[in-house]
Amino acid sequence: MIAERKSAFDIISRVFAVTRLDIEHHQAINDQSLNIHGENYFRDVFNFVYKSSFDNANFGAFNAPFVDLIDTNKKQIVQITTTRTKEKILHSLKALAKPEYEGYKISIYYLLSKAMPNPKTAVEIESQFKVDLKSILKDSND
C-alpha cells in the first residue's frame, strides 16, 4: 500500500511539474488547450486521492458557469483555472449563490501558482461570501 501511494504521488508530482511549465509555454502563444485537459486530470487525481466522485461539469453544459468539477455526493464544486485575478475569484464564488449549489463547498485550484489577494481584498471577499480564502485557494503545492 505504501509503495502504491509513493508511486502515485511521484507520478502526480511529475505531471504537475511538467504541466505547469507546459501551460506557461502554451499560454505564451495564446493556446488554452491544456487548461481544458487540466480539468479532467484534476478530476481523476481528486477522485483517486480523496475517494471522491467528481464529474466534469462542462460535459453536461458547455463551459458551465462558475464550476468545472462537481461531486454531488460530497457536495463539493471546483473551479480549475490559471487566472489569478480578484475578478476570477469573485466570478467563481458566485456559484455559492446558485440554488443548485446550496450547501456546497467550493475550491479554486490553480494550474499555475495560486492567487495571493492582498489583505484588504481577502477581507472583502471573505465577508461577502463567508469563506476562508486560504482554505479554498489551492495549487499543486497544496
Side-chain angles (χ1 to χ4, degrees):
M1 182 72 154
I2 292 173
E4 289 174 12
R5 291 188 64 79
K6 167 83 169 82
S7 176
F9 178 83
D10 289 346
I11 292 168
I12 292 167
S13 176
R14 192 170 301 108
V15 169
F16 279 162
V18 170
T19 301
R20 181 181 180 140
L21 290 173
D22 209 11
I23 288 170
E24 288 174 353
H25 288 279
H26 278 81
Q27 285 186 340
I29 61 168
N30 202 26
D31 175 3
Q32 306 297 317
S33 62
L34 290 176
N35 296 40
I36 295 165
H37 295 295
E39 295 171 5
N40 291 330
Y41 184 74
F42 268 93
R43 176 202 62 202
D44 296 344
V45 168
F46 296 159
N47 288 342
F48 174 77
V49 172
Y50 301 122
K51 308 292 186 239
S52 298
S53 300
F54 282 104
D55 289 314
N56 191 324
N58 295 317
F59 286 165
F62 181 72
N63 204 11
F66 315 119
V67 175
D68 291 317
L69 305 178
I70 184 168
D71 181 338
T72 55
N73 297 328
K74 292 185 177 181
K75 291 195 158 207
Q76 294 179 325
I77 53 178
V78 176
Q79 173 72 54
I80 307 292
T81 188
T82 58
T83 306
R84 297 179 289 202
T85 63
K86 173 185 174 183
E87 291 74 23
K88 181 63 174 187
I89 295 170
L90 292 171
H91 184 264
S92 299
L93 291 174
K94 286 180 182 177
L96 298 175
K98 295 182 73 67
E100 62 263 37
Y101 303 128
E102 185 176 342
Y104 276 69
K105 293 181 181 176
I106 189 169
S107 296
I108 303 172
Y109 280 84
Y110 293 88
L111 295 170
L112 302 174
S113 298
K114 66 182 160 190
M116 303 296 276
N118 67 50
K120 181 181 175 187
T121 298
V123 168
E124 175 188 330
I125 293 171
E126 289 175 344
S127 64
Q128 181 179 351
F129 291 97
K130 309 295 186 244
V131 297
D132 173 26
L133 273 182
K134 286 185 180 183
S135 69
I136 65 170
L137 302 180
K138 302 173 189 259
D139 62 18
S140 62
N141 292 320
D142 295 306

